Amino acid sequence: MPKPNSYRVTKCRICKSQNLYHFLDLGTMPIPNGFIQPENLHRKEERFPLGTTTCLDCGLVQLTEVVNSSLMFKNYLYIPSTSRTMLDHFSDVADEVVARFSVGKDDLVIDIGSNDGSLLQFFKANQVRILGIDPAENLVKAANLKGLNSTVGFFTVKLAQTVKKKSGSAKVITATNVLAHIDDLNDVVKGVRELLAKDGVFIIEFPYIVDLIEKTEFDTIYHEHLSYFGLWPLKQLFARHSMRIFDAKRIDIHGGSLRIFVCFQKSTHHSTPRLNRLLNHEKVYAIHIKQTVDEFSKRVSIIKSDLLNLLKKLKKSKKSVVGYGAAAKGNVLLNYCRIGTSLLPYIVDSIPYKQGLYTPGTHIPIYPEKKLTNDQPDYVLILAWNFADEILKKQRRYQKRGGRFILTIP
Ligand code: DWN
């Protein structure tokens, strides 16, 4: 009997408690980056349940079903370097980290989930030694072609031991939008402990659960994101490995994220006042967690009915509407709302890899962005809302000619 491609979560990923409170059910849908070649449209797509549960003991919010990581990350179509917003963000991160922690030319910076080297390139520009680690062979190849030293693999303690032998300890280890994708968090932290220099810093960025709930960013809930982190659950995770969070900063990227700074328990890095402020803010949140997540789920259903009513009304009045940004989050929204080509005939996207493909589950064709100004549809539904500013700036001509944008989240 072949191993199933997913399993049901029965205990908390961090504290192992079984005291879980299930609060959102988005139905079953294909994996969000499972874009389809035209010749494969007739093939059956494997669908997986998509829902969330919160641990009532440590507060971690997580998916109810975990999909096999090899199905999602071995050949990956998410490339941050196609967005000016992301490149500017990564450049700021590298400059801030090099300055704050006096990273010198002999120091090693390792990026876990390095993708195509989008962040590493800015560390390299600061003349420090770099190494990327990513499971996607297609992206590691692209990084190495750009001279951004990267190796293929899922980050595990075993891989960390091999890297340590070859490259030595790292002064800085970064992990931006990757920790939430990993099931065995203990193994990752053990790997970081293996690789991090004694005075080193582990810097993690992830979409922040407080922003997700406050702005009802439910379409960022998908099979790639196993966990939706807050500070308290992570504080517990690191304490178990004699490490501690010493600083945390809320940042705007991806609808609201958190950047946290972690070191060894005995390290000299002092905890910052803003970390304590954030911990206290989260505590207030956690008190009414059941009511908070139930109200969140109600808002999700309202967003769905409002969007469907709007699109049906526009269709009835013969208005044309297309999508912008074939994002994973967009595929969650479209599958949850069951929006197909009858309401959204096509989507435009800047990523060449995605052009000519079809969206998973809803089978909407993806075209280059220039199709928008050629066709001049009446409305554009921005699916990649985290880049709305960049998209609006880029599409001034469409707007000047009377085109209008629809934003459902946040
Ligand atoms: O955690 C993850 C987040 C950070 O990004 C990954 N697991 C997956 C990924 O999610 P996503 O697919 O929603 O990523 P993006 O980068 O938010 O998707 C944006 C999409 O919009 C891309 O396909 C590119 C497209 N785009 C565009 O067509 N024109 C983006 C910009 C900025 C543009 O101007």
Side-chain angles (χ1 to χ4, degrees):
M1 177 80 162
K3 203 164 148 286
N5 281 328
S6 71
Y7 74 85
R8 188 109 186 119
V9 168
T10 55
K11 58 183 189 302
C12 174
R13 175 167 297 110
I14 287 187
C15 72
K16 309 305 173 202
S17 160
Q18 296 188 16
N19 191 11
L20 303 177
Y21 183 74
H22 185 129
F23 65 88
L24 182 70
D25 181 0
L26 296 173
T28 66
M29 55 180 88
I31 53 175
N33 270 314
F35 294 95
I36 306 168
Q37 296 285 350
E39 62 274 16
N40 296 331
L41 278 170
H42 63 285
R43 283 194 190 162
K44 191 174 175 321
E45 296 167 84
E46 191 165 5
R47 306 172 77 89
F48 301 95
L50 189 58
T52 40
T53 186
T54 181
C55 173
L56 297 177
D57 290 338
C58 80
L60 178 70
V61 173
Q62 52 202 319
L63 289 187
T64 53
E65 188 90 8
V66 172
V67 175
N68 180 334
S69 53
S70 298
L71 283 182
M72 299 188 285
F73 303 116
K74 292 297 276 180
N75 179 47
Y76 201 40
L77 293 185
Y78 163 64
I79 309 170
S81 60
T82 57
S83 143
R84 185 72 260 153
T85 310
M86 287 312 295
L87 291 173
D88 294 345
H89 171 73
F90 284 142
S91 172
D92 295 345
V93 170
D95 291 348
E96 181 186 321
V97 167
V98 166
R100 179 173 174 185
F101 301 105
S102 319
V103 184
K105 63 177 180 45
D106 300 327
D107 292 323
L108 175 63
V109 173
I110 292 180
D111 187 26
I112 300 172
S114 50
N115 201 280
D116 65 342
S118 304
L119 171 59
L120 282 177
Q121 63 186 320
F122 297 107
F123 278 110
K124 185 172 181 181
N126 277 283
Q127 273 81 48
V128 301
R129 288 194 298 135
I130 59 164
L131 174 66
I133 299 172
D134 197 287
E137 286 148 24
N138 61 315
L139 296 175
V140 167
K141 191 161 163 257
N144 283 319
L145 282 174
K146 292 186 280 186
L148 301 167
N149 183 26
S150 300
T151 184
V152 179
F154 286 100
F155 185 77
T156 60
V157 64
K158 208 161 164 305
L159 179 66
Q161 287 157 350
T162 315
V163 167
K164 171 91 178 277
K165 272 199 205 96
K166 199 164 156 244
S167 312
S169 298
K171 175 142 191 181
V172 173
I173 298 176
T174 52
T176 64
N177 294 303
V178 61
L179 201 66
H181 301 55
I182 298 174
D183 195 7
D184 187 346
L185 295 173
N186 287 306
D187 190 52
V188 170
V189 181
K190 283 178 195 153
V192 167
R193 282 187 58 84
E194 186 68 38
L195 260 180
L196 194 66
K198 281 302 154 235
D199 68 340
V201 183
F202 178 33
I203 302 168
I204 309 162
E205 276 186 11
F206 49 85
Y208 189 27
I209 184 65
V210 172
D211 286 296
L212 191 159
I213 300 274
E214 277 177 352
K215 300 177 207 165
T216 324
E217 296 167 342
F218 75 93
D219 59 350
T220 60
I221 294 171
Y222 46 82
H223 303 106
E224 293 181 11
H225 300 160
L226 307 185
S227 305
Y228 300 82
F229 292 122
L231 279 167
W232 284 101
L234 287 174
K235 190 170 154 60
Q236 220 181 104
L237 170 70
F238 289 114
R240 189 178 309 129
H241 297 273
S242 307
M243 298 185 86
R244 60 186 168 84
I245 302 169
F246 65 88
D247 191 14
K249 178 183 178 185
R250 287 182 83 160
I251 50 180
D252 293 340
I253 207 79
H254 292 304
S257 297
L258 201 61
R259 180 182 302 149
I260 68 170
F261 301 80
V262 183
C263 62
F264 285 103
Q265 191 61 45
K266 293 199 173 64
S267 167
T268 54
H269 296 290
H270 299 297
S271 287
T272 61
R274 67 181 176 188
L275 168 66
N276 296 321
R277 282 197 296 275
L278 282 168
L279 283 166
N280 291 331
H281 178 67
E282 264 190 39
K283 250 193 192 145
V284 173
Y285 234 88
I287 298 166
H288 312 290
I289 191 67
K290 280 188 178 176
Q291 183 195 340
T292 305
V293 294
D294 285 344
E295 283 165 3
F296 168 80
S297 301
K298 283 191 197 110
R299 293 198 302 272
V300 171
S301 316
I302 293 167
I303 288 174
K304 172 178 178 178
S305 47
D306 288 356
L307 177 59
L308 282 170
N309 293 338
L310 173 64
L311 293 179
K312 286 174 184 161
K313 197 173 111 222
L314 290 173
K315 180 178 170 106
K316 206 155 163 258
S317 48
K318 305 264 181 276
K319 296 293 182 190
S320 51
V321 188
V322 303
Y324 203 121
K329 59 178 79 67
N331 291 327
V332 171
L333 180 73
L334 297 173
N335 275 291
Y336 171 58
C337 300
R338 296 178 188 282
I339 295 170
T341 48
S342 65
L343 288 174
L344 207 69
Y346 64 83
I347 295 167
V348 294
D349 193 284
S350 60
I351 296 186
Y353 281 97
K354 296 185 182 177
Q355 293 158 7
L357 301 184
Y358 288 74
T359 54
T362 50
H363 296 188
I364 298 174
I366 301 163
Y367 290 96
E369 290 169 306
K370 63 177 183 311
K371 185 171 174 64
L372 190 74
T373 28
N374 296 345
D375 294 357
Q376 192 62 34
D378 299 306
Y379 291 86
V380 167
L381 171 62
I382 298 187
L383 299 166
W385 46 260
N386 49 321
F387 296 129
D389 292 348
E390 186 172 344
I391 291 168
L392 287 166
K393 230 180 262 162
K394 193 187 268 188
Q395 298 301 339
R396 277 215 191 92
R397 186 158 158 251
Y398 165 75
Q399 238 175 341
K400 278 206 183 91
R401 291 161 61 189
R404 301 175 70 182
F405 290 95
I406 301 167
L407 256 183
T408 51
I409 298 165

